Amino acid sequence: MILSLLRFLLGIRAPRVNYYAYILSDAWRRRAMECKRRAGWRCSKCGRGDGLQAHHKHYRNLGHERQSDLQCLCADCHKAVSR
């Protein structure tokens, strides 16, 4: 958080991250699992507990997401919000 604030104040942008390589990485898997755990293993839209996915609300912090940048959704709700 402090590093993000410092980057913001200095106008330093985080290096670009290759989305597809990142989504296949262990770092993303860990972050997505934490998102699901924090959501109580339930979709934040409909409450289902199967087919859960971590959804990026935006991509500004790709590779350096805060948990508030992510939302736990089931596959159907993820598809609906991604249209």
Side-chain angles (χ1 to χ4, degrees), residues 1-15 31 60-61 63-66:
M1 167 123 159
I2 293 173
L3 183 57
S4 297
L5 179 60
L6 184 59
R7 283 183 177 151
F8 173 76
L9 293 173
L10 296 175
I12 300 170
R13 297 197 118 160
R31 193 159 280 132
R60 289 186 296 267
N61 301 318
H64 309 281
E65 299 91 347
R66 298 177 197 98

Side-chain angles (χ1 to χ4, degrees), residues 10-80:
L10 296 175
I12 300 170
R13 297 197 118 160
R16 289 192 153 243
V17 174
N18 178 301
Y19 173 83
Y20 298 103
Y22 176 60
I23 292 301
L24 296 174
S25 73
D26 288 337
W28 169 249
R29 263 190 285 285
R30 286 190 300 274
R31 193 159 280 132
M33 289 296 281
E34 177 63 14
C35 173
K36 295 171 196 177
R37 187 195 66 74
R38 289 172 54 100
W41 301 98
R42 294 280 171 211
C43 175
S44 63
K45 292 278 189 195
C46 72
R48 285 175 48 192
D50 59 311
L52 297 175
Q53 302 172 354
H55 166 68
H56 284 92
K57 294 178 184 177
H58 57 78
Y59 294 96
R60 289 186 296 267
N61 301 318
L62 185 66
H64 309 281
E65 299 91 347
R66 298 177 197 98
Q67 282 300 321
S68 61
D69 296 334
L70 303 174
Q71 183 177 20
C72 181
L73 299 173
C74 69
D76 290 338
C77 289
H78 197 182
K79 191 183 306 180

